DNA sequence: CACGGGTAGTTGTGCTTGCAACTACTTGGT
DNA sequence: ACCAAGTAGTTGCAAGCACAACTACCCGTG
């Protein structure tokens, strides 16, 4: 039923393994929750919404294909559809057909969306620093960046 | 409205900062999703459910207070109440009043729960290794453990 | 140029979770 | 002993999200 694996595969996690693994879970939960609360209180945005605006703001012509956004904000396509619906309702984003591909859509930042992004961006950056980066030394940040780069190297 | 902060607080994130921060987001999402799928397919458990069983299995007398479990599995109290409901329905856990505190409850692992845990534990450990630890060197794991320890030092 | 297989996006549905409000119990001050 | 304040757990409710099924469109093969 289960495929045979390396000998130690099912053995208890060592102290080192536990610290590396559970530490990430706790750190991630702690930081993302703090950011969520902050973003909601100060700008009435979820972090996911903010990130959509962020990626659109960085994109050429302030627009991106739906699937492209979904991939970047770590959301399913259906999840992004609904999130985008809300952003359209709020007037931060518009949808337009992709020329050359009748299936595709662009989401494009409106002026109001760009203004919202500008307002939220400072908060978010400060939050990432307050809740995460400032607890780390420069060497820690380098080490983390290096680790994640290698970890994520194969997509 | 916003409180004044350090000068660089709202400045764009540097490459180092971005790599440390977004890397964690992607790595976390990638690993937890893979584990979720695996746990559901092979044992019909969510990772949260599994973790409740896990902590109960490690606890003295195989029982813990509800709030204690909630804190460990990174769930709100209400979230744990419902999760626990399901585990009780499945026969993996029972609830019993805490002697000495009429408000409190213990969740306690049943024999069926212990059996389920034993079956799932090997899968989960192997999964954590397959999807996370095995992509890291020993030095990486040490570095991460060290970073998280310091990061989480103040609760 | 028809058709089968693939892709982009949306919608139906249901699960998981958190917040706020609630009940029940405990505890400390008077 | 009483009462106010605090804590443990549950419940009503709503948000956020994923999976699967669906529509619409694209493309390569024959």
């Amino acid at each position: 039923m289960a495929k045979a694996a390396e000998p130690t595969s099912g053995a208890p996690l060592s102290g080192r393994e536990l610290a590396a693994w559970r530490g990430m879970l706790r750190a991630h939960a702690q930081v993302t929750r703090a950011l969520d609360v902050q973003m909601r209180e100060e700008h009435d945005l979820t972090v996911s919404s903010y990130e959509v605006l962020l990626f659109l703001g960085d994109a050429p012509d302030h627009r991106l294909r739906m699937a492209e956004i979904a991939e970047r904000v770590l959301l399913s396509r259906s999840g992004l559809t609904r999130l985008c619906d809300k952003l359209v309702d709020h007037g931060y984003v518009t949808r337009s057909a992709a020329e050359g591909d009748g299936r595709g859509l662009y989401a494009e930042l409106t002026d109001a969306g760009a203004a919202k992004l500008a307002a939220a961006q400072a908060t978010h950056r400060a939050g990432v620093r307050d809740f995460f980066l400032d607890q780390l030394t420069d060497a820690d940040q380098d080490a983390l960046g290096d680790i994640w780069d290698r970890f994520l190297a194969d997509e």
Side-chain angles (χ1 to χ4, degrees), chain A:
Chain A
M1 184 179 300
K3 50 184 178 296
E6 293 141 42
T8 62
S9 158
L13 299 182
S14 69
R16 165 167 63 204
E17 289 176 318
L18 270 175
W21 167 237
R22 299 211 74 86
M24 179 172 77
L25 295 184
R26 291 198 84 86
H28 177 273
Q30 184 175 305
V31 177
T32 56
R33 280 173 203 199
L35 287 174
D36 255 314
V37 168
Q38 185 187 50
M39 208 36 122
R40 207 175 295 270
E41 284 180 351
E42 296 187 21
H43 299 284
D44 197 33
L45 283 178
T46 63
V47 169
S48 291
S49 302
Y50 165 75
E51 292 199 316
V52 171
L53 300 184
L54 174 66
F55 287 120
L56 287 177
D58 285 344
D61 297 330
H62 284 184
R63 56 181 211 159
L64 285 170
R65 293 289 292 263
M66 295 292 286
E68 173 72 16
I69 302 171
E71 200 277 327
R72 295 200 200 181
V73 298
L74 307 173
L75 231 53
S76 68
R77 294 185 179 200
S78 64
L80 182 71
T81 293
R82 323 249 200 209
L83 178 51
C84 213
D85 288 344
K86 284 176 213 158
L87 293 174
V88 170
D89 288 345
H90 286 294
Y92 300 147
V93 160
T94 54
R95 276 188 255 240
S96 57
E99 59 275 11
D101 186 342
R103 299 165 302 179
L105 291 178
Y106 283 101
E108 180 170 354
L109 206 56
T110 63
D111 289 344
K116 189 72 180 177
L117 170 60
Q121 197 154 33
T123 299
H124 185 256
R125 285 166 174 165
V128 171
R129 290 204 172 92
D130 285 347
F131 303 133
F132 186 61
L133 297 168
D134 285 354
Q135 323 295 319
L136 305 172
T137 66
D138 287 358
D140 289 340
Q141 293 180 22
D142 282 334
L144 282 178
D146 180 51
I147 288 170
W148 303 137
D149 277 353
R150 281 182 284 114
F151 182 83
L152 297 165
D154 40 288
E155 267 73 323

